[in-house]
Amino acid sequence: MCAWSPFPGIRRGLWSGAGRSPWDAPPCLLSGSSSGEMEVLSVGSFLHELIIFFLMLCVPGLDSARFSVIGPDHPVTAVVGGHIVLPCHLSPNMSVENMEVRWFRHELTPFVHLYRHGEEEFGQQMPEYRDRTVLLTDGIADGNVDLVILNVRPSDEGQYRCSVQDGDFQEEAVLELEVAVSGSAPQISMEGYQDGGILMVCHLAGWYPEPEVLWRDLSGQLLSSSVETKSRDAQGLFEIKSSLVVTERSNQNVSCSVRSARFSLEKDPSTFYMSDSFFPRASPWMVGWSVTLVILLPFVCLACFLFRLTGKIRTELEWRRALRDAANVTLDPDTAHPELVLSGDGKRVRWERTWQPRPDTPERFDTEECVLGREGFTSGRHYWEVEVGGWGLWAVGVARESVSRKGWISLSPQGGIWGVGRPGGDQFLALTDPATPLPLSPPSRIRVCLDCDRGQVTFIDAGTEAPIFTFPPGSLPGERIRPWVCVVDTDTELRLSP
């Protein structure tokens, strides 16, 4: 009689199959065995089957592989507009060709990217990732399931989950993606007068995340801005305008820089220099006259008399100073570009398409449409005025004696030129490197003020006496400085005022 088993199905599974030893067979099939031997064999077989049963019962999916999903332990940083690889792999290394790989943000569906049954599926992919994700399938056989995100956007920033499932077994890793973009360098412009000083505005755009705008004086001390406006464009990038009021008593030379914690840098500070002529001044005689009128009414007539007298003296001194500083500037035809036409007295210049028959000497500009003044200055203070007729392309200023005359040159202090104008577009610019946009409309008459002793040049609207731009002291080299003009349009004529 065969011994009864409480697990007949399991016993059938254990008995079946080739290569079994006779000891695996049920005791009732062993011939020539005594009943005692059969009882011992039946108990041993029962214990063997019981152990295997509990292993299968307590460890479901015993035939499934066991693994861990590994991602980076630090945030991954991407640049807006570029692409980024989100790394993820299995440990130990094993093929995931027959597994399911799901990249998602907060919910399993919709997903960022899905791979299963040996191919990629896009039916329930998040719309914002459509045509922007690629699974690097070259490493799938080794357990690598890296995901590439193309054309990164600010909205891509945040947490990602890399999930790998094999049968009933599933593991995932969590990654953090940070997005950043370095936008335009800060640009400083002068917006007018406010609260007894000059309102300066620092403008920058195209940054993410929101950067910090820093104002400093030239000693590096931080300054507090008065107003800061922020906005975001359609791509989510930040545009910031930070304003600062600079008074005559404060440090007149300021710089603006932008700092991003994500880039760990301060980018290309922009610096603005102002001379004393930028600041409006109240007449001390007017203040004295008002105080005297209020406090000492009997002396009002005397105060008025003194005011008129000192006004006449001051006017006379200003006239004498003007006569001393005014320079009678004429243009040097030996330096004129062949497309420039000068008047006989050297006071006017215009551009024509016809190439003038002039000798190609070392002194002549052969590429840039420029001409220098005959006069040169090495010391003292001098000024002259240039009238601008028409709305073409032009520039006025000064140049060093050794400025290059051949080939393309930089219209900036680096190229030996200090000027303002409209050399290549509609905007009125100071010829710095890069050019500084000026908030004023191009004036019809510009006064060029040269201070050789301080190495400084200032431009003033001769019609309104409003300051235009000042290159900082020490900008000009210690060599001979000559007047300089540039005309690139038939619609414009420059005239040197007497």
Side-chain angles (χ1 to χ4, degrees):
M1 176 175 167
C2 201
W4 176 80
S5 170
F7 311 110
I10 294 178
R11 294 189 62 170
R12 283 195 299 272
L14 291 174
W15 298 333
S16 63
R20 299 292 185 179
S21 70
W23 297 105
D24 294 330
C28 61
L29 298 180
L30 296 177
S31 63
S33 298
S34 64
S35 61
E37 291 175 339
M38 293 177 60
E39 183 177 355
V40 172
L41 289 174
S42 178
V43 172
S45 180
F46 170 76
L47 292 176
H48 184 209
E49 295 167 2
L50 187 63
I51 292 172
I52 294 177
F53 171 77
F54 277 107
L55 282 176
M56 297 179 66
L57 184 65
C58 298
V59 188
L62 188 64
D63 56 335
S64 298
R66 292 296 182 267
F67 53 81
S68 298
V69 180
I70 309 297
D73 57 359
H74 55 81
V76 179
T77 301
V79 177
V80 171
H83 69 272
I84 187 66
V85 177
L86 301 182
C88 183
H89 69 276
L90 270 59
S91 178
N93 295 342
M94 63 181 67
S95 174
V96 296
E97 290 177 337
N98 297 319
M99 301 183 190
E100 177 184 296
V101 180
R102 186 185 298 262
W103 283 89
F104 62 98
R105 297 293 298 268
H106 310 293
E107 300 177 358
L108 288 172
T109 303
F111 50 80
V112 175
H113 200 93
L114 177 62
Y115 171 91
R116 63 182 174 185
H117 306 309
E119 60 184 19
E120 296 171 283
E121 299 182 8
F122 301 97
Q124 292 181 297
Q125 187 181 32
M126 298 173 69
E128 55 267 36
Y129 291 94
R130 191 68 48 83
D131 299 325
R132 291 202 305 123
T133 60
V134 177
L135 190 70
L136 299 181
T137 55
D138 292 345
I140 281 183
D142 299 322
N144 295 318
V145 289
D146 300 345
L147 181 72
V148 180
I149 299 180
L150 306 173
N151 190 22
V152 174
R153 306 169 181 173
S155 59
D156 294 336
E157 185 171 75
Q159 196 175 84
Y160 289 77
R161 296 177 181 271
C162 172
S163 172
V164 180
Q165 184 171 350
D166 181 23
D168 295 331
F169 183 76
Q170 182 266 340
E171 281 285 312
E172 68 179 38
V174 180
L175 296 78
E176 189 73 26
L177 175 62
E178 293 181 347
V179 175
V181 62
S182 174
S184 64
Q187 293 290 338
I188 298 180
S189 61
M190 185 178 67
E191 299 294 332
Y193 297 104
Q194 178 177 310
D195 300 331
I198 297 175
L199 178 64
M200 311 298 298
V201 174
C202 180
H203 175 254
L204 53 100
W207 284 80
Y208 188 89
E210 180 184 334
E212 183 180 8
V213 178
L214 303 175
W215 288 94
R216 285 190 173 94
D217 59 25
L218 290 193
S219 65
Q221 295 296 318
L222 288 173
L223 305 173
S224 298
S225 61
S226 57
V227 178
E228 190 169 279
T229 59
K230 307 170 187 176
S231 60
R232 300 181 71 169
D233 60 18
Q235 292 184 317
L237 305 181
F238 283 92
E239 178 181 5
I240 299 178
K241 291 184 178 180
S242 177
S243 61
L244 176 73
V245 176
V246 180
T247 63
E248 190 173 9
R249 294 181 179 179
S250 64
N251 194 314
Q252 299 173 15
N253 301 324
V254 296
S255 69
C256 173
S257 61
V258 55
R259 180 166 65 190
S260 171
R262 194 151 294 175
F263 284 103
S264 300
L265 56 79
E266 287 189 29
K267 182 173 182 178
D268 303 332
S270 175
T271 306
F272 199 94
Y273 304 89
M274 288 169 284
S275 64
D276 294 340
S277 61
F278 275 71
F279 297 92
R281 300 179 182 275
S283 170
W285 298 107
M286 287 296 294
V287 176
W289 180 83
S290 302
V291 173
T292 302
L293 180 63
V294 173
I295 300 177
L296 302 174
L297 187 59
F299 297 95
V300 170
C301 294
L302 178 60
C304 291
F305 172 75
L306 293 176
F307 175 75
R308 295 179 61 186
L309 179 61
T310 54
K312 291 181 179 180
I313 295 174
R314 183 177 59 183
T315 301
E316 183 177 352
L317 291 175
E318 289 178 351
W319 273 106
R320 290 181 180 179
R321 180 179 177 183
L323 291 173
R324 182 189 66 196
D325 294 343
N328 185 19
V329 173
T330 56
L331 300 175
D332 184 0
D334 292 337
T335 66
H337 184 275
E339 291 179 328
L340 296 183
V341 179
L342 276 61
S343 62
D345 60 0
K347 292 289 187 179
R348 292 177 294 162
V349 59
R350 56 186 173 83
W351 180 84
E352 285 195 357
R353 300 182 185 276
T354 305
W355 196 273
Q356 306 298 314
R358 292 172 182 163
D360 185 14
T361 61
E363 294 81 12
R364 189 177 309 285
F365 291 94
D366 67 353
T367 303
E368 300 286 359
E369 293 83 350
C370 304
V371 59
L372 297 178
R374 289 181 181 272
E375 297 73 23
F377 308 99
T378 57
S379 62
R381 300 175 59 189
H382 314 274
Y383 81 84
W384 59 94
E385 294 181 359
V386 182
E387 296 182 12
V388 181
W391 292 93
L393 307 179
W394 55 271
V396 302
V398 299
R400 64 188 182 193
E401 177 75 45
S402 61
V403 66
S404 176
R405 319 289 172 86
K406 304 302 180 183
W408 296 105
I409 60 177
S410 173
L411 303 185
S412 68
Q414 286 74 12
I417 293 173
W418 294 260
V420 298
R422 300 173 63 246
D426 295 333
Q427 194 169 21
F428 190 34
L429 305 171
L431 304 185
T432 56
D433 188 12
T436 302
L438 299 173
L440 311 172
S441 298
S444 60
R445 195 163 82 253
I446 297 175
R447 182 179 304 153
V448 184
C449 302
L450 173 64
D451 190 336
C452 294
D453 299 332
R454 298 186 67 191
Q456 176 177 307
V457 60
T458 298
F459 298 90
I460 297 174
D461 185 338
T464 64
E465 298 297 327
I468 298 174
F469 188 81
T470 295
F471 287 89
S475 295
L476 275 63
E479 65 175 275
R480 193 165 181 251
I481 301 298
R482 298 173 66 174
W484 169 86
V485 298
C486 177
V487 186
V488 201
D489 201 303
T490 55
D491 186 45
T492 301
E493 181 180 77
L494 300 181
R495 298 181 294 274
L496 301 179
S497 297

